[in-house]
Amino acid sequence: MLKLSIPTWIANAAACLTGMYGDVTHQAEAADCSRQTVYDHAQKVQAAVEAEHSGGPTRAELIQETQDLRQENARLWDWLAQTIEFPPAKQHEFTVTATAMGLSLNQVLVLLALILGAQARPGRSTIQRWIKAAGQAAERVLKHLDGRCKALVLVGCLDEIFFHRRPVLVGVEPASMVWFLGQKADDRTGATWSKALQNWTALEYVVADAGTGLQAGIAAVQQQRQKEGQPALENGLDVFHTTQEAQRVLRLIWNRVDRLWEQAEVASRRVAQAQQQGQDARGVAVAARSAWTKAEAAFQQYEQSEAGWKIAHAALQVFRPDGQLNDRSWAGEQIALALPQLSEREWSKVRGFLQTEATWTFLDRLHRQLQEAEPEDELRGALVRLWWLRRQRPRATTVGAIAGASHVAHLVHQVVCHQRDAHGHASYRQVARVLGQTVRASSAVECMNSVIRMHQARHRTLTQGLLDLKRLYWNCREFRGGKRKGRCPYEHLGLKLSSSNFWSLLQEEMITALDEAKAKAKGKGKAIAA
């Protein structure tokens, strides 16, 4: 706010610029200000007049321009609040992580264009270079981590998957779901599998299908360990593929029943049509009876096969239908009952699986581990029964319904176990651990194969570096649900890491590799200079 009025400013300027000697003093006294204030007012008034008549923007124009700039500044701040920080380092992390998750190069380019715009996103060659470097870094990281996992991977599910007719050897630890083997190979012979398994010296038990090359590789490792006096490698034939083959045969037989049944119905309609038209129906009636005889025989064969497979399938379970623990003798009796009912030619493959010694390896291993967990027979049997009862009780009942004995059977049996051994909680945990981790099928590796197939569908080529990148991401990825929720496969395996973050492990390795490359280049430069 001005202390002196505008006319006073003008009078001060006039006294200074056009007045006579002494006018400045008289004006200062009249305005009640100092002489210096009169001189200052004269300079400011003169500058204001010169600025007004110099041809530049007027004050009103400057005020309008200032308001426009303020509005533009506000809009820019609003836009900035809605944007994300996406520097080149984040673009690099996004590209590598998306590729490891299974996105193709084109999909990554589309997503980067949505975030940054088509002009600002990195080029295809840049992304390819990032992915290649990340794959090389993943190979070095996995080499270190695999060395630390060797002593922890005791059970493995093995299988192969093909990409453009080239096999990828896959191995998964079922309890933790650690993908410990992901090797692109030229073939799937026994020698190739044997070489891939030799590094995993702590393996005690493997489950695999009946593939010729895979079984030959396992047999070669078993022989080598026997010669070198190392612990034996147990081999279990995959129950999953046995069941899958049996279901295929049952569908085949049922399709034959369905086809013969339709033919018999057609023959019956012909008989009815001939009788309606007053024609001789004896010939078509004979054909209809023959058709129905074949259909009934096929149906009886299906019922016989289905009953036989139900008996055989029960023998492949951990527990019998009555809740007792399965064993070799009972399973052998059931198979002996089932085989005569699976005598048709279509069942030859299933019969071979059921008569293979490796099919029952899981039972031998189960009973041996249970005996190690609890040596006393009676207490061990009671704890196994308690484990089974806890999983058989109904999960929920309708409101007001009277609960049956199955709701409290496990509680009664728990009291019985407590009377046998008041400190049996530790024994029960060990028994439960053995039963819960009994591996009969290679379901874990089939799960991994389904993940790899989704990745294959998006990639034109699958290099070893890309495979290593995906394997490292899987092993560091935290499970979002299920019994493994909240931790990654490496953590479930028991591997102690300073950080299980996928990008942190890769970034550390890439920085180390870059430093080594710089040091190597610097050393070459000094050598050339010398």
Side-chain angles (χ1 to χ4, degrees), residues 489-507:
Y490 275 145
E491 292 173 328
H492 283 286
L493 185 65
L495 186 64
K496 304 298 183 182
L497 296 174
S498 58
S499 173
S500 59
N501 182 269
F502 162 75
W503 179 246
S504 297
L505 293 174
L506 266 185
Q507 198 173 28

Side-chain angles (χ1 to χ4, degrees), residues 242-394:
T242 302
T243 304
Q244 192 178 43
E245 176 64 19
Q247 296 296 336
R248 186 192 68 82
V249 175
L250 286 174
R251 286 195 302 270
L252 182 66
I253 297 175
W254 179 255
N255 290 337
R256 184 162 60 241
V257 172
D258 196 27
R259 185 174 61 254
L260 292 174
W261 201 275
E262 289 180 357
Q263 292 176 0
E265 289 180 339
V266 170
S268 296
R269 286 196 294 270
R270 288 174 181 169
V271 173
Q273 185 178 5
Q275 291 175 347
Q276 289 176 357
Q277 295 177 354
Q279 299 176 357
D280 186 2
R282 287 177 294 179
V284 290
V286 171
R289 284 194 298 271
S290 176
W292 278 112
T293 300
K294 292 180 181 179
E296 290 172 358
F299 185 73
Q300 290 175 359
Q301 179 192 350
Y302 175 80
E303 286 187 322
Q304 176 183 337
S305 298
E306 186 181 33
W309 170 243
K310 284 182 178 180
I311 297 173
H313 189 252
L316 298 173
Q317 307 303 312
V318 175
F319 285 90
R320 306 177 191 175
D322 60 357
Q324 298 298 317
L325 189 65
N326 194 3
D327 54 43
R328 271 286 194 121
S329 60
W330 185 83
E333 293 173 0
Q334 298 303 302
I335 296 302
L337 292 174
L339 288 179
Q341 301 184 57
L342 306 177
S343 58
E344 298 297 327
R345 180 175 55 86
E346 294 91 342
W347 290 101
S348 59
K349 195 172 182 179
V350 176
R351 288 198 303 271
F353 290 160
L354 295 176
Q355 293 174 311
T356 301
E357 190 70 16
T359 299
W360 313 107
T361 304
F362 80 94
L363 283 177
D364 297 335
R365 180 178 173 83
L366 171 63
H367 283 275
R368 184 177 67 251
Q369 289 181 333
L370 284 175
Q371 190 169 8
E372 293 173 356
E374 177 49 58
E376 186 181 343
D377 293 341
E378 292 186 3
L379 179 58
R380 181 174 65 251
L383 294 176
V384 170
R385 182 68 176 177
L386 176 60
W387 189 88
W388 181 80
L389 286 173
R390 282 182 169 179
R391 279 147 188 81
Q392 297 302 312
R393 70 182 188 271

Side-chain angles (χ1 to χ4, degrees), residues 366 369-375 383 387 424-437:
L366 171 63
Q369 289 181 333
L370 284 175
Q371 190 169 8
E372 293 173 356
E374 177 49 58
L383 294 176
W387 189 88
H425 298 292
S427 298
Y428 176 77
R429 285 196 296 270
Q430 293 177 3
V431 168
R433 181 177 177 273
V434 172
L435 291 170
Q437 295 184 1

Side-chain angles (χ1 to χ4, degrees), residues 398-470:
T398 57
V399 178
I402 299 175
S406 57
H407 287 269
V408 296
H410 66 285
L411 298 175
V412 175
H413 200 76
Q414 185 174 348
V415 174
V416 173
C417 293
H418 183 73
Q419 291 176 348
R420 288 180 180 273
D421 185 1
H423 304 285
H425 298 292
S427 298
Y428 176 77
R429 285 196 296 270
Q430 293 177 3
V431 168
R433 181 177 177 273
V434 172
L435 291 170
Q437 295 184 1
T438 299
V439 181
R440 300 177 298 124
S442 60
S443 306
V445 75
E446 294 298 334
C447 171
M448 186 57 58
N449 285 347
S450 65
V451 174
I452 300 174
R453 285 190 187 96
M454 290 189 293
H455 289 200
Q456 288 176 340
R458 304 187 186 103
H459 292 283
R460 185 173 299 175
T461 57
L462 185 67
T463 62
Q464 184 62 49
L466 191 58
L467 196 62
D468 291 336
L469 189 66
K470 296 178 184 299

Side-chain angles (χ1 to χ4, degrees), residues 500-527:
S500 59
N501 182 269
F502 162 75
W503 179 246
S504 297
L505 293 174
L506 266 185
Q507 198 173 28
E508 290 175 6
E509 182 59 35
M510 287 189 288
I511 291 174
T512 303
L514 183 61
D515 292 341
E516 291 177 355
K518 288 181 178 178
K520 189 176 181 181
K522 187 176 181 180
K524 286 184 178 180
K526 288 182 178 180

Side-chain angles (χ1 to χ4, degrees), residues 156-168:
C157 297
L158 308 177
D159 199 4
E160 61 259 331
I161 186 172
F162 289 86
F163 189 83
H164 293 315
R165 297 184 179 181
R166 284 196 61 183
V168 175

